[in-house]
Amino acid sequence: MVVVSLFILYSALISVGDGNHFLGGTISWRPSNTSATGSPVAIVITQTYSWTYSYIPCTQVTIASNAYVPSYGGLAAEVLECIYNCATGAIGYPNISVIPRCTDFSVAAGITTGQRSDTVYLDINDDFAAAFRDSSWRPLATSANASWAISTRIIVKPRTDTGYFNSAPVATVMSPINIPYNKSISITIPVADADGDTLRCRWANKSNGINECRGVCPPDSLPPDTIIYPNCTIIINGKNLSDWYAVAVTVEDFINSSSTIPLSSVPVQFLVHVISASSCPTLPEIIGIPLEYS
């Protein structure tokens, strides 16, 4: 088995072909002040998305000026919309914009990445899901025009162990990732949690009134026998050269290792591209021991 992690693939194996504009992303949130009391509670929501550079280009000038990415296809009008328990569980949530500010780009790789953070003021005990939904992913092996839904579950309740408000996990997303044809590949998603909670990954799904993945819900959206483990490791084998797949993962935090009730959930979505195996006999290697979650 070949073992790789997202940041190695990003630096050594990325390429983007022509196609539609969404390349994936992630959402996280945290209280502005974890020890705050009373209501409303200031919650900072951070959205990070990647796009096809030819559709949504950034430059050093737009990064330096903290400018928004170009509004391709009406992006400026899109919102992170409440999709679950909105009437009573999302008091104070205003459906915030999704258009991010330019943070990174690569002309060679054909990637633009943007991020934005917004502060919203929610009631104590709010519990709802919000999603960015649109279309489309680039043409995939499982769909020529798949729509996306990238959603987060926000629960504004004091923790039972500390009495403070919870901070959701943070995940790192790099997209797209190239994997060699017909080899079992291990992809590890870097995740971290400010509260030191137990973290578990699972496939995104459609359940309990929340659609986390729309047109790319695993396992049907992935090669046969693709596996995800709770430690956020994915085993995938691309059997068809040049295939593209969208990977939709949900990261959840738990108050301890025996708990089965998540404190929150955040999405991680990215593309995988099956390419010819490298003819180079020397594999990439990490020099030294990296810090956990780095």
Side-chain angles (χ1 to χ4, degrees):
M1 177 186 296
V2 180
V3 179
V4 289
S5 53
L6 290 178
F7 69 92
I8 299 173
L9 284 160
Y10 180 69
S11 61
L13 297 173
I14 282 179
S15 70
V16 174
D18 291 334
N20 293 343
H21 55 296
F22 188 63
L23 301 183
T26 185
I27 305 168
S28 189
W29 57 269
R30 61 176 176 81
S32 178
N33 179 4
T34 56
S35 60
T37 59
S39 188
V41 182
I43 299 293
V44 180
I45 301 173
T46 299
Q47 304 172 73
T48 306
Y49 303 116
S50 293
W51 313 93
T52 301
Y53 177 84
S54 59
Y55 290 102
I56 301 180
C58 283
T59 65
Q60 294 292 357
V61 172
T62 56
I63 292 174
S65 62
N66 201 30
Y68 291 106
V69 303
S71 180
Y72 174 81
L75 179 61
E78 300 286 351
V79 295
L80 188 69
E81 179 183 10
C82 182
I83 60 169
Y84 168 78
N85 203 26
C86 303
T88 59
I91 305 302
Y93 182 70
N95 285 343
I96 58 178
S97 175
V98 300
I99 189 168
R101 298 181 185 275
C102 291
T103 57
D104 301 279
F105 72 94
S106 170
V107 177
I111 300 166
T112 290
T113 299
Q115 186 178 89
R116 68 174 294 137
S117 292
D118 298 89
T119 300
V120 297
Y121 296 88
L122 307 177
D123 275 12
I124 290 180
N125 296 321
D126 270 1
D127 178 356
F128 66 99
F132 174 25
R133 302 179 293 182
D134 206 339
S135 64
S136 62
W137 291 91
R138 61 151 295 121
L140 305 171
T142 56
S143 175
N145 195 36
S147 57
W148 75 77
I150 181 166
S151 72
T152 182
R153 180 80 175 267
I154 300 176
I155 303 174
V156 188
K157 296 180 180 179
R159 298 170 57 101
T160 58
D161 56 348
T162 64
Y164 296 147
F165 296 109
N166 185 57
S167 293
V170 175
T172 302
V173 59
M174 303 295 180
S175 183
I177 296 172
N178 285 348
I179 63 171
Y181 162 71
N182 203 28
K183 287 188 177 182
S184 184
I185 296 294
S186 171
I187 298 173
T188 299
I189 301 171
V191 293
D193 187 272
D195 302 311
D197 292 329
T198 297
L199 301 181
R200 300 179 194 136
C201 281
R202 61 170 174 80
W203 294 133
N205 59 41
K206 304 174 186 177
S207 64
N208 301 317
I210 303 174
N211 187 336
E212 299 174 328
C213 41
R214 216 170 182 185
V216 294
C217 292
D220 295 341
S221 61
L222 298 171
D225 303 319
T226 302
I227 300 169
I228 188 169
Y229 292 99
N231 68 353
C232 301
T233 297
I234 296 169
I235 309 298
I236 186 170
N237 189 331
K239 298 291 188 180
N240 297 306
L241 194 61
S242 300
D243 274 356
W244 288 83
Y245 297 95
V247 182
V249 173
T250 295
V251 186
E252 296 174 319
D253 55 337
F254 298 82
I255 204 162
N256 54 49
S257 59
S258 61
S259 175
T260 58
I261 302 174
L263 300 170
S264 66
S265 66
V266 299
V268 186
Q269 297 187 10
F270 56 94
L271 287 167
V272 167
H273 184 206
V274 183
I275 63 168
S276 298
S278 172
S279 60
C280 178
T282 304
L283 295 175
E285 60 180 302
I286 300 174
I287 305 300
I289 301 175
L291 296 174
E292 186 177 14
Y293 300 132
S294 66

